[in-house]
Amino acid sequence: MKDVTIQIPDMQSAHCQARVNNAVKEIAGVQVQNLQAGQITVSLSSDSNKEAIVAAIEKAGYSVPLKHEL
């Protein structure tokens, strides 16, 4: 598995973090390793999961800047 840290600048409060955590943990092959204000670190079983994570975060209402660097 590969660890990836994703910056989510507008995810600051505990409520926001819970929304992102719930959205990401539903993706098969992804494990949340660390969640803190402004970023999430996940372990991926496949590079194809990156797009699914970004889509889930955006669907939860948060932006992911510099998506091309994931």
Side-chain angles (χ1 to χ4, degrees):
M1 296 195 76
K2 175 182 175 184
D3 286 352
V4 174
T5 298
I6 301 170
Q7 301 300 317
I8 311 169
D10 50 345
M11 179 190 71
Q12 297 297 320
S13 70
H15 173 75
C16 294
Q17 293 173 34
R19 285 184 65 183
V20 169
N21 184 58
N22 289 336
V24 171
K25 73 179 185 180
E26 299 299 321
I27 302 169
V30 175
Q31 293 179 339
V32 176
Q33 297 299 320
N34 187 27
L35 182 64
Q36 60 188 24
Q39 70 180 30
I40 187 172
T41 302
V42 295
S43 290
L44 307 174
S45 62
S46 167
D47 282 341
S48 63
N49 291 355
K50 292 177 188 177
E51 293 81 20
I53 293 169
V54 171
I57 292 169
E58 290 179 339
K59 187 174 181 180
Y62 303 92
S63 61
V64 179
L66 305 174
K67 291 179 244 187
H68 62 279
E69 292 185 13
L70 295 179

Coordinates of all heavy atoms in Angstrom, one line a residue:
M1 N 0.8 -1.2 0.0 CA 0.0 0.0 0.0 C 0.9 1.2 0.0 O 2.0 1.2 0.5 CB -0.9 0.0 1.2 CG -1.9 -1.2 1.2 SD -3.3 -1.1 2.3 CE -4.3 0.1 1.5
K2 N 0.4 2.3 -0.6 CA 1.1 3.5 -0.7 C 0.4 4.6 0.1 O -0.8 4.8 0.0 CB 1.1 3.9 -2.2 CG 1.8 5.2 -2.5 CD 1.7 5.5 -4.0 CE 2.2 6.9 -4.3 NZ 2.0 7.2 -5.7
D3 N 1.1 5.4 0.9 CA 0.5 6.5 1.7 C 0.6 7.8 0.8 O 1.6 8.1 0.2 CB 1.3 6.7 3.0 CG 1.0 5.6 4.0 OD1 0.1 4.8 3.8 OD2 1.7 5.6 5.0
V4 N -0.6 8.5 0.9 CA -0.7 9.7 0.2 C -1.3 10.7 1.1 O -2.3 10.4 1.8 CB -1.6 9.6 -1.1 CG1 -1.9 10.9 -1.8 CG2 -1.0 8.6 -2.1
T5 N -0.8 12.0 1.2 CA -1.3 13.0 2.0 C -2.0 14.0 1.0 O -1.4 14.5 0.0 CB -0.3 13.7 2.8 OG1 0.3 12.8 3.7 CG2 -0.9 14.9 3.6
I6 N -3.3 14.3 1.3 CA -4.1 15.2 0.5 C -4.4 16.5 1.3 O -4.9 16.4 2.4 CB -5.4 14.5 0.0 CG1 -5.0 13.3 -0.8 CG2 -6.2 15.5 -0.8 CD1 -6.2 12.4 -1.1
Q7 N -4.1 17.6 0.7 CA -4.4 18.9 1.3 C -5.8 19.3 1.1 O -6.3 19.2 -0.1 CB -3.5 20.0 0.8 CG -2.0 19.7 1.0 CD -1.6 19.6 2.5 OE1 -2.1 20.3 3.4 NE2 -0.8 18.6 2.8
I8 N -6.6 19.6 2.1 CA -8.0 20.1 2.0 C -8.1 21.3 2.9 O -8.5 21.3 4.1 CB -8.9 19.0 2.5 CG1 -8.6 17.6 1.9 CG2 -10.4 19.4 2.2 CD1 -9.3 16.4 2.5
P9 N -7.7 22.5 2.4 CA -7.6 23.7 3.2 C -8.9 24.1 3.9 O -8.9 24.6 5.0 CB -7.2 24.8 2.1 CG -6.7 24.1 1.0 CD -7.3 22.7 1.0
D10 N -10.1 23.8 3.3 CA -11.3 24.3 3.9 C -11.9 23.2 4.8 O -13.0 23.4 5.3 CB -12.3 24.7 2.8 CG -12.5 23.7 1.7 OD1 -11.7 22.8 1.5 OD2 -13.5 23.9 0.9
M11 N -11.2 22.2 5.2 CA -11.6 21.2 6.2 C -10.9 21.5 7.5 O -9.7 21.1 7.7 CB -11.2 19.8 5.7 CG -11.6 18.7 6.7 SD -11.0 17.1 6.3 CE -9.2 17.3 6.6
Q12 N -11.5 22.2 8.4 CA -10.9 22.7 9.6 C -11.5 22.1 10.8 O -10.9 21.6 11.7 CB -10.8 24.2 9.7 CG -10.0 24.8 8.5 CD -8.5 24.4 8.6 OE1 -7.9 24.3 9.6 NE2 -8.0 24.2 7.4
S13 N -12.8 22.2 10.9 CA -13.5 21.8 12.2 C -13.6 20.3 12.3 O -13.5 19.5 11.3 CB -14.9 22.4 12.2 OG -15.7 21.8 11.2
A14 N -14.0 19.8 13.5 CA -14.2 18.4 13.7 C -15.3 17.9 12.9 O -15.3 16.7 12.4 CB -14.4 18.1 15.2
H15 N -16.4 18.7 12.7 CA -17.5 18.3 11.8 C -17.0 18.1 10.4 O -17.4 17.1 9.8 CB -18.6 19.4 11.9 CG -19.7 19.2 10.9 ND1 -20.7 18.2 11.1 CD2 -20.0 19.7 9.8 CE1 -21.5 18.2 10.1 NE2 -21.1 19.2 9.3
C16 N -16.2 19.0 9.9 CA -15.7 18.9 8.5 C -14.9 17.6 8.4 O -15.0 16.9 7.4 CB -14.9 20.1 8.1 SG -15.8 21.6 8.0
Q17 N -14.0 17.4 9.3 CA -13.2 16.2 9.3 C -14.0 14.9 9.3 O -13.7 14.0 8.6 CB -12.2 16.2 10.5 CG -11.2 17.4 10.4 CD -10.3 17.5 11.6 OE1 -10.0 16.5 12.3 NE2 -9.9 18.7 11.9
A18 N -15.0 14.9 10.1 CA -15.9 13.7 10.2 C -16.6 13.5 8.8 O -16.7 12.3 8.4 CB -17.0 13.9 11.3
R19 N -17.0 14.5 8.1 CA -17.7 14.4 6.8 C -16.7 13.8 5.8 O -17.0 12.9 5.1 CB -18.2 15.7 6.3 CG -19.4 16.2 7.0 CD -19.9 17.5 6.5 NE -20.4 17.3 5.1 CZ -20.8 18.2 4.3 NH1 -20.9 19.4 4.7 NH2 -21.2 17.9 3.0
V20 N -15.5 14.3 5.8 CA -14.5 13.8 4.9 C -14.1 12.3 5.2 O -14.0 11.5 4.3 CB -13.2 14.7 4.8 CG1 -12.1 14.0 4.1 CG2 -13.6 16.1 4.2
N21 N -13.9 12.1 6.5 CA -13.6 10.7 6.9 C -14.6 9.7 6.5 O -14.3 8.7 5.9 CB -13.4 10.7 8.4 CG -12.9 9.3 8.9 OD1 -11.9 8.8 8.5 ND2 -13.7 8.7 9.8
N22 N -15.9 10.1 6.7 CA -17.0 9.2 6.3 C -17.1 9.0 4.8 O -17.4 7.9 4.3 CB -18.3 9.7 6.8 CG -18.5 9.6 8.3 OD1 -17.8 8.8 9.0 ND2 -19.3 10.5 8.9
A23 N -16.8 10.0 4.0 CA -16.8 9.9 2.6 C -15.7 9.0 2.1 O -15.9 8.2 1.2 CB -16.7 11.3 1.9
V24 N -14.5 9.2 2.6 CA -13.3 8.4 2.1 C -13.3 7.0 2.6 O -12.9 6.1 1.8 CB -12.0 9.2 2.5 CG1 -10.8 8.4 2.2 CG2 -11.9 10.5 1.8
K25 N -13.7 6.7 3.8 CA -13.6 5.4 4.3 C -14.5 4.4 3.6 O -14.3 3.2 3.7 CB -13.8 5.3 5.8 CG -15.3 5.5 6.2 CD -15.4 5.5 7.7 CE -16.9 5.5 8.1 NZ -17.0 5.5 9.6
E26 N -15.4 4.8 2.8 CA -16.3 4.0 2.1 C -15.7 3.4 0.8 O -16.2 2.6 0.1 CB -17.6 4.7 1.8 CG -18.4 5.2 3.0 CD -18.8 4.0 3.9 OE1 -19.2 3.0 3.3 OE2 -18.8 4.2 5.1
I27 N -14.5 4.0 0.4 CA -13.9 3.6 -0.8 C -13.1 2.3 -0.6 O -12.2 2.3 0.3 CB -13.0 4.7 -1.4 CG1 -13.8 6.0 -1.6 CG2 -12.3 4.3 -2.7 CD1 -12.9 7.2 -1.8
A28 N -13.4 1.3 -1.4 CA -12.6 0.0 -1.3 C -11.2 0.2 -1.6 O -10.8 1.0 -2.6 CB -13.2 -1.0 -2.3
G29 N -10.3 -0.4 -0.8 CA -8.9 -0.3 -1.1 C -8.2 1.0 -0.5 O -7.1 1.2 -0.8
V30 N -8.9 1.7 0.3 CA -8.4 3.0 0.9 C -8.6 2.9 2.4 O -9.6 2.5 3.0 CB -9.2 4.2 0.4 CG1 -8.7 5.5 1.1 CG2 -9.0 4.3 -1.1
Q31 N -7.5 3.2 3.2 CA -7.6 3.2 4.6 C -7.1 4.6 5.1 O -6.0 5.1 4.6 CB -6.6 2.2 5.2 CG -7.1 0.8 5.0 CD -6.1 -0.2 5.6 OE1 -4.9 0.1 5.9 NE2 -6.6 -1.4 5.8
V32 N -7.9 5.3 5.9 CA -7.5 6.6 6.5 C -6.4 6.3 7.6 O -6.7 5.6 8.5 CB -8.7 7.3 7.1 CG1 -8.3 8.6 7.7 CG2 -9.8 7.5 6.0
Q33 N -5.3 6.9 7.4 CA -4.2 6.8 8.3 C -4.1 8.0 9.3 O -3.9 7.8 10.5 CB -2.8 6.7 7.6 CG -2.7 5.5 6.7 CD -2.8 4.2 7.5 OE1 -2.3 4.1 8.6 NE2 -3.5 3.3 6.9
N34 N -4.4 9.2 8.8 CA -4.3 10.3 9.7 C -5.3 11.4 9.1 O -5.3 11.6 7.9 CB -2.9 10.9 9.8 CG -2.8 12.0 10.8 OD1 -3.5 12.1 11.7 ND2 -1.8 12.9 10.5
L35 N -6.0 12.0 10.0 CA -6.9 13.1 9.6 C -6.8 14.2 10.6 O -6.8 14.1 11.8 CB -8.4 12.6 9.7 CG -9.5 13.5 9.3 CD1 -9.4 13.8 7.8 CD2 -10.8 12.9 9.5
Q36 N -6.4 15.4 10.1 CA -6.3 16.6 10.9 C -6.7 17.8 10.1 O -7.0 17.7 8.9 CB -4.8 16.7 11.3 CG -3.8 16.9 10.2 CD -2.4 16.8 10.6 OE1 -2.1 16.3 11.7 NE2 -1.5 17.4 9.9
A37 N -6.8 18.9 10.8 CA -7.3 20.1 10.1 C -6.4 20.4 8.9 O -5.2 20.5 8.9 CB -7.2 21.3 11.1
G38 N -7.1 20.5 7.7 CA -6.4 20.8 6.5 C -5.8 19.7 5.7 O -5.4 20.0 4.6
Q39 N -5.8 18.5 6.2 CA -5.2 17.4 5.4 C -5.7 16.0 5.9 O -6.1 15.8 7.0 CB -3.7 17.5 5.4 CG -3.1 17.1 6.7 CD -1.5 17.2 6.6 OE1 -1.0 18.0 5.8 NE2 -0.8 16.5 7.3
I40 N -5.6 15.1 5.0 CA -5.9 13.7 5.3 C -4.7 12.8 4.7 O -4.3 13.1 3.6 CB -7.2 13.3 4.7 CG1 -7.6 11.8 5.2 CG2 -7.3 13.4 3.2 CD1 -9.0 11.5 4.8
T41 N -4.3 11.8 5.4 CA -3.3 10.9 4.9 C -4.0 9.5 4.8 O -4.7 9.1 5.7 CB -2.1 10.8 5.8 OG1 -1.5 12.1 5.9 CG2 -1.1 9.8 5.2
V42 N -3.9 8.9 3.6 CA -4.6 7.6 3.3 C -3.6 6.6 2.8 O -2.6 7.0 2.2 CB -5.8 7.8 2.4 CG1 -6.9 8.6 3.0 CG2 -5.3 8.4 1.1
S43 N -3.9 5.4 3.0 CA -3.1 4.3 2.3 C -3.9 3.8 1.2 O -5.1 3.5 1.3 CB -2.8 3.2 3.3 OG -1.9 3.6 4.3
L44 N -3.3 3.7 0.0 CA -4.0 3.2 -1.2 C -3.5 1.9 -1.6 O -2.3 1.6 -1.6 CB -3.7 4.2 -2.4 CG -4.0 5.7 -2.1 CD1 -3.5 6.5 -3.3 CD2 -5.5 5.9 -1.9
S45 N -4.4 1.0 -2.1 CA -4.0 -0.3 -2.6 C -3.7 -0.1 -4.1 O -3.1 -1.0 -4.7 CB -5.1 -1.3 -2.4 OG -6.3 -1.0 -3.0
S46 N -4.2 0.9 -4.7 CA -4.0 1.1 -6.2 C -4.0 2.6 -6.5 O -4.7 3.4 -5.9 CB -5.2 0.5 -6.9 OG -5.2 0.9 -8.3
D47 N -3.2 3.0 -7.5 CA -3.2 4.4 -7.9 C -4.6 4.9 -8.4 O -4.9 6.1 -8.4 CB -2.2 4.7 -9.0 CG -0.8 4.8 -8.4 OD1 -0.6 5.0 -7.1 OD2 0.2 4.6 -9.1
S48 N -5.4 4.0 -8.9 CA -6.7 4.4 -9.4 C -7.6 4.9 -8.4 O -8.6 5.5 -8.6 CB -7.3 3.2 -10.2 OG -7.6 2.1 -9.3
N49 N -7.3 4.6 -7.1 CA -8.1 5.1 -6.0 C -8.0 6.6 -5.8 O -8.8 7.2 -5.1 CB -7.7 4.3 -4.7 CG -8.1 2.9 -4.7 OD1 -8.7 2.4 -5.6 ND2 -7.7 2.2 -3.7
K50 N -6.9 7.2 -6.3 CA -6.7 8.6 -6.0 C -7.9 9.4 -6.6 O -8.4 10.3 -5.9 CB -5.4 9.1 -6.7 CG -4.2 8.5 -6.1 CD -2.9 9.0 -6.9 CE -1.7 8.3 -6.4 NZ -0.5 8.6 -7.2
E51 N -8.3 9.1 -7.8 CA -9.4 9.9 -8.4 C -10.7 9.7 -7.6 O -11.5 10.6 -7.4 CB -9.6 9.5 -9.8 CG -8.5 9.9 -10.7 CD -7.3 8.9 -10.7 OE1 -7.5 7.8 -10.2 OE2 -6.2 9.4 -11.1
A52 N -10.9 8.5 -7.1 CA -12.1 8.2 -6.3 C -12.1 9.0 -5.0 O -13.1 9.5 -4.5 CB -12.2 6.7 -6.0
I53 N -10.9 9.1 -4.4 CA -10.8 9.9 -3.1 C -11.1 11.4 -3.4 O -11.9 12.0 -2.6 CB -9.4 9.7 -2.5 CG1 -9.1 8.3 -2.1 CG2 -9.1 10.7 -1.4 CD1 -7.7 8.0 -1.7
V54 N -10.5 11.9 -4.4 CA -10.8 13.3 -4.7 C -12.2 13.5 -5.0 O -12.8 14.5 -4.5 CB -9.9 13.8 -5.9 CG1 -10.3 15.2 -6.4 CG2 -8.4 13.8 -5.5
A55 N -12.9 12.7 -5.8 CA -14.3 12.8 -6.1 C -15.1 12.7 -4.8 O -16.1 13.5 -4.6 CB -14.7 11.7 -7.0
A56 N -14.8 11.8 -3.9 CA -15.5 11.7 -2.6 C -15.4 12.9 -1.8 O -16.4 13.4 -1.2 CB -15.1 10.5 -1.8
I57 N -14.2 13.5 -1.7 CA -13.9 14.7 -0.9 C -14.7 15.9 -1.5 O -15.4 16.6 -0.8 CB -12.4 15.0 -0.9 CG1 -11.7 14.0 0.0 CG2 -12.2 16.4 -0.3 CD1 -10.2 14.0 -0.1
E58 N -14.7 16.0 -2.8 CA -15.5 17.1 -3.5 C -17.0 16.9 -3.4 O -17.7 17.9 -3.2 CB -15.0 17.2 -4.9 CG -13.6 17.7 -5.1 CD -13.1 17.8 -6.5 OE1 -13.7 17.2 -7.4 OE2 -12.2 18.6 -6.7
K59 N -17.4 15.6 -3.4 CA -18.9 15.4 -3.2 C -19.3 15.7 -1.8 O -20.4 16.2 -1.6 CB -19.2 13.9 -3.5 CG -20.6 13.6 -3.5 CD -20.9 12.2 -3.9 CE -22.4 11.9 -3.9 NZ -22.7 10.5 -4.2
A60 N -18.4 15.6 -0.8 CA -18.7 16.0 0.6 C -18.7 17.5 0.7 O -19.0 18.0 1.8 CB -17.7 15.3 1.5
G61 N -18.3 18.3 -0.3 CA -18.3 19.7 -0.3 C -17.0 20.4 0.0 O -17.0 21.6 0.3
Y62 N -15.9 19.8 -0.3 CA -14.6 20.4 0.0 C -13.8 20.4 -1.3 O -13.9 19.5 -2.1 CB -13.9 19.6 1.1 CG -14.7 19.6 2.4 CD1 -15.6 18.6 2.6 CD2 -14.7 20.7 3.2 CE1 -16.4 18.6 3.7 CE2 -15.5 20.8 4.4 CZ -16.4 19.7 4.6 OH -17.2 19.8 5.7
S63 N -12.9 21.3 -1.4 CA -12.0 21.4 -2.6 C -10.7 20.8 -2.3 O -10.2 20.8 -1.2 CB -11.9 22.9 -3.0 OG -11.2 23.6 -2.0
V64 N -10.1 20.2 -3.4 CA -8.8 19.6 -3.3 C -7.9 20.4 -4.3 O -8.0 20.1 -5.5 CB -8.8 18.1 -3.6 CG1 -7.4 17.5 -3.6 CG2 -9.8 17.4 -2.7
P65 N -7.0 21.3 -3.8 CA -6.2 22.0 -4.8 C -5.1 21.1 -5.3 O -4.7 20.2 -4.6 CB -5.6 23.2 -3.9 CG -5.7 22.7 -2.5 CD -6.9 21.7 -2.5
L66 N -4.5 21.5 -6.4 CA -3.4 20.7 -7.0 C -3.6 19.2 -7.1 O -2.8 18.4 -6.8 CB -2.1 21.0 -6.1 CG -1.7 22.4 -5.9 CD1 -0.6 22.5 -5.0 CD2 -1.4 23.1 -7.2
K67 N -4.8 18.9 -7.6 CA -5.2 17.5 -7.8 C -4.2 16.7 -8.7 O -4.0 15.5 -8.5 CB -6.6 17.4 -8.4 CG -7.7 17.9 -7.5 CD -9.0 17.8 -8.3 CE -9.6 19.1 -8.4 NZ -10.9 19.1 -9.0
H68 N -3.6 17.4 -9.6 CA -2.6 16.8 -10.6 C -1.4 16.2 -9.9 O -0.7 15.4 -10.4 CB -2.3 17.7 -11.7 CG -1.5 18.9 -11.2 ND1 -2.2 20.0 -10.7 CD2 -0.2 19.2 -11.2 CE1 -1.3 21.0 -10.4 NE2 -0.1 20.5 -10.7
E69 N -1.1 16.7 -8.6 CA 0.1 16.2 -7.9 C -0.1 15.0 -7.1 O 0.8 14.5 -6.5 CB 0.6 17.4 -7.0 CG 1.2 18.5 -7.8 CD 1.8 19.6 -7.0 OE1 2.0 19.3 -5.8 OE2 2.0 20.7 -7.5
L70 N -1.4 14.5 -7.0 CA -1.7 13.3 -6.2 C -1.1 12.1 -6.8 O -1.0 11.9 -7.9 CB -3.2 13.2 -6.0 CG -3.9 14.3 -5.3 CD1 -5.3 14.0 -5.2 CD2 -3.3 14.4 -3.9

